[in-house]
Each structure stands twice: as structure tokens, then as C-alpha cells.
Amino acid sequence: MSQQFQHDVLVIGSGAAGLSLALNLPAHLRIAVLSKGDLANGSTFWAQGGVAAVLDDTDTVQSHVEDTLNAGGGLCHEDAVRYTVEHSREAIQWLIDQGVPFTRDEHAGVDERSFEFHLTREGGHSHRRIIHAADATGAAIFTTLLEQARQRPNIELLEQRVAVDLITQRRLGQAGERCLGAYVLNRASGEVDTFGARFTVLATGGAAKVYLYTSNPDGACGDGIAMAWRAGCRVANLEFNQFHPTCLYHPQAKSFLITEALRGEGALLKLPNGERFMPRFDPRAELAPRDIVARAIDHEMKRLGADCVYLDISHKPAEFIKGHFPTVYERCLTFGIDITTQPIPVVPAAHYTCGGVMVDDHGLTDVPGLYAIGETSFTGLHGANRMASNSLLECFVYGRSAATDILAKLSSVDMPEALPCWDASQVTDSDEDVIIAHNWDELRRFMWDYVGIVRTSKRLQRAEHRVRLLLDEIDEFYSNYKVSRDLIELRNLAQVAELMIRSAMQRKESRGLHYTLDYPDMLPVAHDTILQPPTYAD
Ligand SMILES: Cc1cc2nc3c(=O)[nH]c(=O)nc-3n(C[C@H](O)[C@H](O)[C@H](O)COP(=O)(O)OP(=O)(O)OC[C@H]3O[C@@H](n4cnc5c(N)ncnc54)[C@H](O)[C@@H]3O)c2cc1C
């Protein structure tokens, strides 16, 4: 039997964004936080580097703003950048107050460093401003916030619940536009339950799983973007997908990132025949920015028809390698690769979704009562290329501002009246799950080949044609069979893929992460690619 629930705030997603929003709301509100797998299954847990913020006396808001604008290829919204950076110190202080065990700086107060925690530097940042917990910052943040949430009786943490679609007044044929909650598959019972809420928050992470190779965990399927689109929200800049240049390539290794620090310490990129190739692409060779290295690898793999290239640090002393990169060393060894003597097979992998659901500076979408925060949202912060470690910061700043907005509107919004149950009377159990698996593979492969690091108009047209066929097939499947996590994700992935392709086709230039051979130059004026859903334009 399906069930009905009512909460003041329904938060779909238990990563950095969802948990920080829930913890910033007062204890008298009934809050549900959903995760479609276990609570740790989002990207947050896997973040390594840290969080960018203006923390040291030698750093300034202006400098962080300028660095972000430079990385963003002329497309950042300066007001969103400034808003985020101006709130960065307060966001970090909040994390410290929650108990996040950031790495301390042994030299604080001794030299010019004035901050008690260690700050590191990453590509694009002109100052040391990345606060971190060793090389596992995401795990430290997630564990701490989860612990805090567990101590709050008003927060219900619900695992294995997959939001299928949002419930809006429009969907129910009522007057008004408001979001009233969501239909949610309970994977244990197999039933779709109805969650009514005064406010609903999408904190569902990114969509990197739309590509064959990704550094993201399995759930990064763009569910929030697809649900918001179907509910009538505009989406923006979905053509900007950041690729990390070096992900381990091994049949059993899913999503393992080889940190850029290896190249920083002298690792060389080589072709299968052992030849070095980066100097042909950029004078900075292996130390060129992420997008240039990823593009060069992609070019060589396509030119040679190679499955991967190799990252080689074996010319360095074994003790140095083990001392500096214990995690990479251990992990590769489990796959039979001894990085002190062998090169590491690597491919670029989809890493971060810069575009998303359009929101204001409180995370509010076009649909009243519906918020989007974290990687699923488009705030204008990242422009055409996200700067390292700004993404977690965005989760905390907007998590907090969305909570503030909800609080301000609380007294004017009632609990929705009883909502209709999910109608499963017309569907049966699927006996052809192979179709889902096949479509899933096909989608991720053609997105990789045609909508990947280097694009052309022809490749985009091919992808568009294929995604339309897939969408029709998936729609038919969705109308006739009971929903499962795989089907929900495939439906959303295909929808987001279609939006990405459409956005890429609209951009007649190369800018930031969008590079097309047919329009290699950047236009003098930068514009966002904003897509309007049919329901919104009605
Ligand atoms: C390997 C790796 C390293 C990174 N390193 C850094 C770094 O050093 N610094 C930095 O700033 N950023 C980093 N990033 C990016 C950053 O980690 C993410 O952008 C950020 O964690 C996203 O947080 P989120 O809360 O938006 O989503 P996530 O943490 O991805 O959480 C998404 C949540 O939504 C839930 N969900 C999704 N769909 C549904 C659905 N349909 N129903 C119910 N629940 C659903 C999931 O179960 C999950 O709980 C890294 C990312 C990766 C993958």
C-alpha cells in the first residue's frame, strides 16, 4: 500500500546542499531529507580538495571574485559571484561550529598566515584559500553534518527513496503554480508514496552520469533538473560540462579520480606507444589548465582510436610517490597497477554540471514553493567554467539562504490538502529490463562521442536525433510499466541529455567548457543559454 506523508519542508537530496539547508532550519519544523540510495551516495562524500573561501587576512573578497570571473569565461553573474564570496567566511564558520575537523595549520601566526586552519591553493586561485580536511574533505563534511542531522528529532532521514516527479497545482489541474510536494518511490516496498510539503527543495546533485566516463557516483543522473523542467522551471547553461582530465581507466574501477597533484609533481601524459604528447598542445604541457589537458587527451584518443592514455610518475623515487600519493598508490595497486613502476591508464571523465535549474539568490526556482540548491541549480556562480572548490561553497551559501527565505515565508503558506495518490492502475511489471540497460548504455556512449569534450554541429545533430528516439521509447516504457530506480534515472538522464544537446546547439561559439570545431572563436558578447519549458511558456 502506498503511503501519504506531510512535512513542512521536503528536501530531496542528502548531500552538502540538502543537509546544510535542513540544519539551517529551526527545530520546530518537520523536515524530511530523502536520498535515493544510502545517505552517503552523493558526490559530496567523494570531494577531495576542499572548499574555497576568503579566510586569511592576506586574501580579499575582490580577489576571489576576480579569480572566479576569470575562470568563468565571461559568463559568471557578477552579483551571484560576489554574493557567494561575501558569504564564504560565514559559511566556513558555520561548518567549523558544526564540528567539521578541518586540517589545522601548524604555522598559523608564525609567518604571514593568520588563519588557524591550513589553506591550500588550487588552479585558478591567486591565493591560498582552500580549507580542507586532509585529502578527504567531502567525507569529513558529510559525516559531521549527518551526525548533526541525526541529533535533530525534527529531521527525518529517509534512505532508498527515489523522487519520481514533483506535484504541482498545475499538474493536478488546480488554479495556481505552486509546488505541493513529490511522488517518491520507496525502494523497499516498491510503492510510490505521496509527500505533501509546504516547501520542496531539490538538492539532487549533478548530471555527470549522462556521460560514459564520469568521476561522479552512480546517482548523478540530473533527476532534479529533469523534475524541475517537467514542473515548469527554466534551466540554463547546460552545455557547460566540466571534464576532469584523469580518471582511472580499468574495467573494475568505477569513477576513481587521479588527482591533478600527480601532474603537479611531475607525472607525464603518454600515448600507448610511450610518446609524450602534451607539449604539442600547450607550452605548459601537463600543467596546462584542466580543460586544455582534457581536450588534448580526447583529441589523441579519437585520432588513434585508443581506449585510454597513460599518466606516468614512475620516474620519481618510489618512496616519494608512496609518501605523496598514498591513496592513489593503494587504490591502483588493488587493480594490479604499481604506479611506482607502471604508468596509470587514464581517460577524461565528466566531473561537474555547471548549468542547472535557474534560481534567484535564495535558491528559489520559477515555481513558487520549489527551491533548487547545490549542483542541481544554476545560480550564475560558475559561468562557462567552474573554478575548483567553489562548488561546495555554493552548496553551503545557498543552503543557508534558501533556509532563510523559507523561514520568512512560513507563516503565509499552509500545508497542502490531501493530495491524490500515485496512479499505478494502468501499469504492469516490466518483463524487458534489458531495454533499460541497453538504452542507458547507448545514451551514455553517444553523449560521450558526440556531446563530449570536442563538439561539432554534425555530432550534435546526430546526438539530437538519437536522443529523440530514446525519449519516445522511454516514454512508452514509462507509461506501461511500474517505475523502478533504473527507469526513473534513465528517463531523467535522457531528458537532461536532450536539454544539454539543445543548449550546445544554440551556442554558436567556443567558450569555457563548450568547444566546437565549427565555431572555434568566442563571440564578443556573452549570453546565457536559457531554455523555457513548454508548460512555463503556456
Ligand atoms: C570525485 C569528486 C571530487 C570533488 N571534489 C570537490 C572539491 O574538492 N571541492 C568542491 O567544491 N567540489 C568538489 N566536487 C564537486 C562537489 O563534490 C559537488 O558539486 C557537491 O558535493 C554537490 O553536492 P550536492 O549536495 O549538490 O549533491 P550530492 O552531494 O551529489 O547529493 C545528491 C543527493 O541527492 C539525492 N538524490 C538525487 N536524485 C534523487 C531522487 N530522484 N530522489 C531522491 N534523492 C535523490 C542523492 O541520493 C544524494 O543524496 C567533487 C566532485 C567529485 C565527484
Side-chain angles (χ1 to χ4, degrees):
M1 270 289 279
S2 71
Q3 293 182 280
Q4 293 260 356
F5 300 95
Q6 283 198 326
H7 293 87
D8 294 304
V9 185
L10 171 64
V11 185
I12 306 174
S14 62
L19 287 177
S20 56
L21 175 124
L23 289 167
N24 273 292
L25 287 168
H28 68 269
L29 294 183
R30 276 201 68 201
I31 303 163
V33 177
L34 311 184
S35 173
K36 65 176 167 182
D38 59 34
L39 292 167
N41 84 116
S43 290
T44 298
F45 189 85
W46 300 102
Q48 298 170 354
V51 192
V54 179
L55 299 165
D56 194 290
D57 287 350
T58 61
D59 196 5
T60 62
V61 166
Q62 188 55 26
S63 165
H64 191 167
V65 168
E66 278 169 17
D67 290 345
T68 305
L69 296 178
N70 285 339
L75 259 192
C76 296
H77 294 195
E78 190 167 347
D79 51 348
V81 177
R82 196 164 289 284
Y83 177 81
T84 308
V85 174
E86 278 173 354
H87 288 83
S88 64
R89 184 183 268 269
E90 143 193 320
I92 300 300
Q93 189 56 53
W94 180 76
L95 289 170
I96 293 169
D97 294 345
Q98 300 303 304
V100 177
F102 289 118
T103 300
R104 291 187 172 270
D105 189 351
E106 295 163 13
H107 302 287
V110 178
D111 53 21
E112 85 279 7
R113 283 174 253 172
S114 56
F115 192 56
E116 65 182 294
F117 294 98
H118 184 257
L119 300 175
T120 187
R121 195 166 160 177
E122 286 181 343
H125 291 277
S126 56
H127 274 84
R128 285 186 168 271
R129 62 166 74 101
I130 318 298
I131 189 167
H132 61 102
D135 64 350
T137 310
I141 291 175
F142 174 79
T143 311
T144 307
L145 297 187
L146 184 64
E147 190 51 40
Q148 291 292 332
R150 285 198 201 285
Q151 287 172 25
R152 294 266 296 264
N154 65 317
I155 300 179
E156 263 182 275
L157 297 160
L158 300 169
E159 297 183 308
Q160 313 297 342
R161 305 297 211 287
V162 192
V164 185
D165 253 327
L166 297 164
I167 307 172
T168 57
Q169 288 178 315
R170 183 188 284 261
R171 179 186 174 121
L172 299 181
Q174 298 176 358
E177 300 287 336
R178 217 179 155 74
C179 182
L180 307 172
Y183 290 116
V184 178
L185 171 69
N186 179 338
R187 293 177 71 196
S189 68
E191 300 289 342
V192 176
D193 298 328
T194 309
F195 280 73
R198 294 160 82 186
F199 300 91
T200 304
V201 182
L202 294 167
T204 47
K209 197 76 204 223
V210 81
Y211 289 104
L212 187 59
Y213 301 113
T214 171
S215 66
N216 284 204
D218 278 349
C221 298
D223 292 358
I225 299 171
M227 283 191 280
W229 173 258
R230 289 193 292 267
C233 297
R234 286 170 304 162
V235 297
N237 287 4
L238 281 168
E239 67 274 38
F240 296 110
N241 295 296
Q242 190 172 67
F243 289 81
H244 194 286
T246 55
C247 209
L248 178 61
Y249 177 71
H250 189 278
Q252 266 99 51
K254 258 182 143 181
S255 325
F256 184 65
L257 211 75
I258 308 292
T259 165
E260 281 177 70
L262 249 85
R263 280 181 286 124
E265 295 299 338
L268 302 174
L269 280 161
K270 295 181 176 172
L271 298 176
N273 67 3
E275 184 198 326
R276 215 177 140 204
F277 59 92
M278 272 314 299
R280 279 196 272 121
F281 290 87
D282 193 283
R284 291 162 289 185
E286 278 79 3
L287 298 181
R290 234 178 226 191
D291 50 330
I292 293 177
V293 179
R295 218 175 285 149
I297 297 175
D298 182 73
H299 178 88
E300 290 301 291
M301 282 173 58
K302 285 209 171 87
R303 183 174 72 82
L304 299 171
D307 288 336
C308 63
V309 295
Y310 293 86
L311 185 64
D312 193 355
I313 196 166
S314 63
H315 51 282
K316 291 271 176 184
E319 287 320 305
F320 171 87
I321 298 171
K322 288 185 205 169
H324 277 72
F325 305 109
T327 315
V328 177
Y329 172 74
E330 290 297 337
R331 190 66 189 266
C332 288
L333 211 52
T334 62
F335 297 111
I337 304 160
D338 179 351
I339 69 169
T340 64
T341 58
Q342 291 170 285
I344 311 167
V346 291
V347 286
H351 189 53
Y352 188 81
T353 312
C354 291
V357 184
M358 287 189 80
V359 294
D360 67 9
D361 59 8
H362 289 113
L364 188 61
T365 69
D366 291 330
V367 171
L370 179 66
Y371 294 77
I373 50 172
E375 195 170 334
T376 207
S377 67
F378 168 82
T379 61
L381 171 66
H382 305 302
N385 194 0
R386 171 194 73 127
M387 195 167 66
S389 291
N390 268 352
S391 35
L392 280 171
L393 176 63
E394 188 183 41
C395 291
F396 305 122
V397 170
Y398 284 84
R400 193 183 178 94
S401 70
T404 308
D405 199 56
I406 288 173
L407 206 51
K409 292 180 172 147
L410 207 56
S411 58
S412 59
V413 178
D414 294 329
M415 191 66 83
E417 286 169 16
L419 297 169
C421 292
W422 179 256
D423 181 6
S425 59
Q426 307 296 317
V427 294
T428 58
D429 281 319
S430 151
D431 53 2
E432 283 196 280
D433 282 351
V434 64
I435 295 177
I436 297 181
H438 176 84
N439 285 355
W440 184 294
D441 288 346
E442 188 184 337
L443 177 82
R444 296 182 64 210
R445 190 166 282 280
F446 75 65
M447 284 298 288
W448 182 260
D449 287 340
Y450 300 150
V451 199
I453 297 166
V454 177
R455 298 160 178 177
T456 66
S457 302
K458 194 145 203 137
R459 287 180 196 166
L460 293 176
Q461 278 161 12
R462 283 200 185 115
E464 190 193 31
H465 178 66
R466 279 168 174 71
V467 84
R468 289 203 189 286
L469 294 175
L470 275 189
L471 277 170
D472 286 347
E473 233 171 68
I474 294 164
D475 254 5
E476 199 199 320
F477 207 84
Y478 183 77
S479 315
N480 291 314
Y481 298 110
K482 276 191 179 167
V483 290
S484 62
R485 173 172 171 172
D486 283 349
L487 177 56
I488 294 165
E489 290 187 337
L490 175 65
R491 178 176 180 240
N492 292 333
L493 273 180
Q495 180 59 76
V496 174
E498 194 264 335
L499 297 171
M500 285 177 177
I501 297 165
R502 222 194 300 170
S503 306
M505 289 176 99
Q506 285 192 19
R507 187 165 292 282
K508 307 284 188 219
E509 62 167 347
S510 290
R511 181 184 295 275
L513 300 165
H514 173 75
Y515 182 76
T516 162
L517 295 175
D518 291 307
Y519 303 97
D521 299 323
M522 193 154 84
L523 293 174
V525 183
H527 291 292
D528 291 325
T529 310
I530 298 174
L531 302 181
Q532 302 259 3
T535 47
Y536 188 73
D538 279 349

